Amino acid sequence: MTTQRTLCIIKPDAVERRQQGAILQRLLDEGFRVLAMRQALISRPQIEGFYAVHRERPFFNELCTFMTRGPVILLALEREDAVQHLRNVIGATDPAKAAAGTVRKLYGSNVGENAVHGSDSDENGRIECGYYFSGMDLV
Ligand code: ADP
Ligand code: MG
């Protein structure tokens, strides 16, 4: 196992419910180091670029509308095996199918409004941290 970077986004549904503090504490308790953190209102072009891999999917428009409806918390995280560990901690995409105790089970509402994003590979972890943070922001 090696040290990796991964991007977590606390999505608008969780921020609206004031759950960003509880989710951040969970990430800290799981051993992630916060390299950078920022609240942001993501623009439509920015989120369309971020989720470009999904642009042909039927839920793409709904996803982009959701992700831009209010502030999110962007987190560049570092840890041993960070990508897989974050995926384990957040759980399955659909909160109804997520394991007990996972962030999406605890805080997600449905397959679209599922509280958090986590990168899905080592390469995407680096790309996604770079999408929202410059190298100078990472400490
Ligand atoms: P994950 O976030 O678990 O990696 P995906 O990359 O497949 O999941 O999808 C990206 C995001 O798109 C999901 O987190 C969720 O917000 C949304 N999404 C995925 N599938 C659906 C769906 N069937 N209907 C609505 N929104 C969806
Ligand atoms: Mg994904």
Side-chain angles (χ1 to χ4, degrees):
M1 282 200 300
T2 54
T3 301
Q4 288 178 327
R5 289 177 181 179
T6 191
L7 183 79
C8 181
I9 305 178
I10 304 177
K11 296 184 178 183
D13 59 327
V15 175
E16 286 160 8
R17 293 165 188 251
R18 311 177 77 85
Q19 291 162 334
Q20 61 271 54
I23 293 170
L24 174 60
Q25 187 62 54
R26 173 66 181 276
L27 298 172
L28 295 170
D29 292 344
E30 292 285 347
F32 290 99
R33 290 179 290 283
V34 177
L35 300 180
M37 173 167 61
R38 177 169 91 244
Q39 177 166 284
L41 189 58
I42 303 177
S43 72
R44 185 85 187 192
Q46 239 178 351
I47 204 68
E48 287 180 354
F50 183 76
Y51 279 129
V53 65
H54 293 310
R55 68 183 170 274
E56 303 303 334
R57 308 283 284 277
F59 57 81
F60 181 68
N61 187 53
E62 178 191 337
L63 173 61
C64 292
T65 299
F66 162 54
M67 289 296 291
T68 56
R69 82 175 183 210
V72 301
I73 310 294
L74 303 163
L75 292 149
L77 301 175
E78 188 174 78
R79 189 191 183 282
E80 286 286 302
D81 203 22
V83 171
Q84 188 57 51
H85 195 80
L86 182 62
R87 297 294 302 200
N88 294 346
V89 167
I90 70 179
T93 306
D94 183 351
K97 296 176 184 155
T102 58
V103 172
R104 282 168 165 170
K105 177 61 106 186
L106 289 167
Y107 303 111
S109 303
N110 56 60
V111 68
E113 301 196 11
N114 57 6
V116 282
H117 167 86
S119 305
D120 65 3
S121 69
D122 180 53
E123 185 186 16
N124 283 337
R126 279 182 275 112
I127 291 170
E128 291 181 359
C129 286
Y131 193 82
Y132 290 112
F133 297 103
S134 78
M136 283 190 329
D137 296 328
L138 305 175
V139 297

